[in-house]
Amino acid sequence: MARPHIEPFVDRDVGFKKFTMKGFKPGLQHKTLSIDKDNGACTMTIQYDSGFKQPPGFSYSECEMLIMEGSLKVGDKMARKGAYFFVPAGVHLPAISSDEGAFALIFYNFGPPSFQESDRDHDQADRTGFKIINAYEDLDWIMVARRTPGVAPGCCSKVLTFDEKTGACTFLYCMVPGFWQDNISYHDCAEEAYHIWGTSWMMQFGNLPTGGYFWRPAYINHGCFASQNGILAIGRTDGDLHNHFHHDPYSTPDENQERAAQVWARQRPTTYKWILSNGHNHGPHDFANPNDHYDPIKYNVADIADVHSHDYMHSLGIHHEHK
Ligand SMILES: [Fe+2]
C-alpha cells in the first residue's frame, strides 16, 4: 500500500466536499483522509445527508465503515452509532436510506470507492468475513496487550476484523484519562487511525484531537504518548502489528528497518538465511495457500475497478498513469 505519511491531519480543519463520483447517489459529502495514488484505495469521512437513499449494490473494493453519528437503515435493520461494517469486495448490501443523516468513517482498502447497483453478489465475491456489528455494544474491551510486547496499562482495544493469514487488523482502541507511555515504537506494517473522540499527545507529532487522523508507513518512530482526558479511536494495520520498542528518538526509518531485520536474524536464523540466499524478487511458494497473492488483484473482483480508479483520480485532480 503506497500511501504517503500523513500525520497529523485533522478532518475538522477542512470542509466537506460533495461526493459526485460516478455510480454513487446524490446526498453524500466527503473528506479524503488518505489515498493510495497507485490503486485509488482511500480512507474518508462521509456525511450522509438526511433523506439519502441508495438501492442494493456492491463495491469492487473491500470496504469497512464505522457510523459515528446518526443512523442508516440497511435493509430492514437500523445501523446506529457504533455500527461497524466489514464488506468484502463484490458482496452486496441491501437498500440503504437515512432519515436523520449519518456521519461515518469509511475505508476502501484495496481499490477506489465504487458502487454497482445489484441485488446479488458479484460472481467472484467471497462472503467470508462479512459482518455488521455494533462495535460499541457487542464487544468487550480487552485491557492492554493483544500483542507482545504490549503497550502500557490503560490502553484497551476491541478487535473488529483480523486477517489470520496476514495479521492485518482493524480495531477500536481507547486510552483512559491520565494514560502515558514513556517509550518509542515502530512497526513492520503501516498503521492508520482516526480519533472518534478525545485528544492524545505524541512526542513527534504533538496533540491529535477529535477528528485527528494519521496514515503512518512502516518503521516510523512514534511515542512517547500521553492523554489527559482519554480518547476513543479506530485503527487499522495492513500486517502484523509487532511493537518494536526503544528509546532513541533520532533513529531513522531505514535504521529501524535494519533493527527489525536483525530481530528475524536472531529469532528465525534458518528462514532469514534462506531468504538471503534465495535471491531478490522471488517470493517463497506457499504450498498451504497456493492461490493467495497479497496484491490488489486478489481483492478487486473485476478489471472495471481500474476504470473507477481513473475516474476517482481525475475527480481529485491527481495525475495518474493510464495502463
Ligand atoms: Fe503504533
Side-chain angles (χ1 to χ4, degrees):
M1 293 202 280
R3 299 192 213 186
H5 185 198
I6 295 166
E7 183 167 17
F9 178 79
V10 183
D11 77 348
R12 302 305 196 266
D13 292 345
V14 299
F16 277 109
K17 291 180 182 163
K18 274 192 177 171
F19 192 69
T20 56
M21 202 171 156
K22 202 165 72 181
F24 287 88
K25 300 300 172 191
L28 293 172
Q29 301 179 63
H30 80 294
K31 300 177 183 183
T32 297
L33 306 179
S34 67
I35 182 167
D36 183 328
K37 292 180 183 177
D38 295 330
N39 63 13
C42 64
T43 302
M44 303 187 291
T45 39
I46 285 273
Q47 177 70 46
Y48 292 83
D49 293 343
S50 62
F52 176 79
K53 280 189 171 58
Q54 175 178 290
F58 61 77
S59 162
Y60 288 100
S61 168
E62 176 186 291
C63 167
E64 298 173 70
M65 184 166 76
L66 179 75
I67 297 180
M68 297 183 284
E69 297 291 341
S71 62
L72 295 180
K73 190 174 180 199
V74 182
D76 57 3
K77 297 201 171 77
M78 290 302 292
R80 303 180 195 282
K81 187 189 278 198
Y84 165 79
F85 298 60
F86 180 87
V87 188
V91 169
H92 88 287
L93 289 172
I96 289 177
S97 62
S98 184
D99 289 340
E100 62 172 325
F103 174 57
L105 180 77
I106 190 159
F107 302 109
Y108 285 98
N109 291 339
F110 300 101
S114 57
F115 178 73
Q116 177 66 52
E117 278 188 45
S118 176
D119 57 7
R120 63 185 184 87
D121 291 356
H122 188 283
D123 291 344
Q124 297 175 52
D126 177 359
R127 279 199 160 247
T128 305
F130 170 76
K131 69 177 93 167
I132 302 177
I133 58 173
N134 191 299
Y136 294 174
E137 297 170 4
D138 295 348
L139 300 168
D140 293 325
W141 290 106
I142 299 167
M143 278 299 284
V144 200
R146 52 193 170 76
R147 297 283 201 287
T148 303
V151 296
C155 184
C156 314
S157 71
K158 296 183 181 191
V159 175
L160 304 176
T161 290
F162 181 73
D163 186 323
E164 297 283 348
K165 291 179 186 170
T166 64
C169 187
T170 305
F171 51 97
L172 284 187
Y173 66 100
C174 69
M175 295 175 185
V176 298
F179 175 80
W180 62 279
Q181 180 168 332
D182 67 354
N183 57 9
I184 300 165
S185 57
Y186 58 85
H187 315 300
D188 305 288
C189 58
E191 62 179 344
E192 64 177 327
Y194 179 86
H195 275 206
I196 300 164
W197 180 86
T199 299
S200 65
W201 171 89
M202 206 187 311
M203 182 169 65
Q204 296 82 359
F205 307 110
N207 282 325
L208 196 67
T210 300
Y213 172 82
F214 61 80
W215 175 278
R216 185 186 299 139
Y219 303 117
I220 289 176
N221 282 337
H222 51 289
C224 314
F225 306 95
S227 180
Q228 186 174 357
N229 296 315
I231 66 154
L232 173 64
I234 182 168
R236 192 175 81 88
T237 71
D238 64 355
D240 184 45
L241 189 148
H242 177 84
N243 287 309
H244 294 275
F245 288 130
H246 66 109
H247 288 93
D248 177 2
Y250 302 109
S251 69
T252 66
D254 284 348
E255 288 168 341
N256 291 343
Q257 188 160 16
E258 279 195 52
R259 181 172 175 262
Q262 283 303 318
V263 173
W264 274 73
R266 281 197 300 273
Q267 297 181 350
R268 299 173 178 84
T270 309
T271 307
Y272 184 79
K273 278 179 196 153
W274 182 85
I275 291 170
L276 288 182
S277 65
N278 201 41
H280 294 291
N281 302 320
H282 290 89
H285 176 61
D286 181 356
F287 61 83
N289 303 287
N291 297 318
D292 283 1
H293 304 283
Y294 289 99
D295 60 39
I297 293 165
K298 171 177 182 283
Y299 295 96
N300 291 293
V301 293
D303 289 336
I304 197 170
D306 199 42
V307 175
H308 286 279
S309 175
H310 290 157
D311 189 29
Y312 186 52
M313 299 301 173
H314 291 305
S315 74
L316 293 174
I318 292 169
H319 176 70
H320 175 63
E321 291 295 330
H322 290 251
K323 290 171 190 157

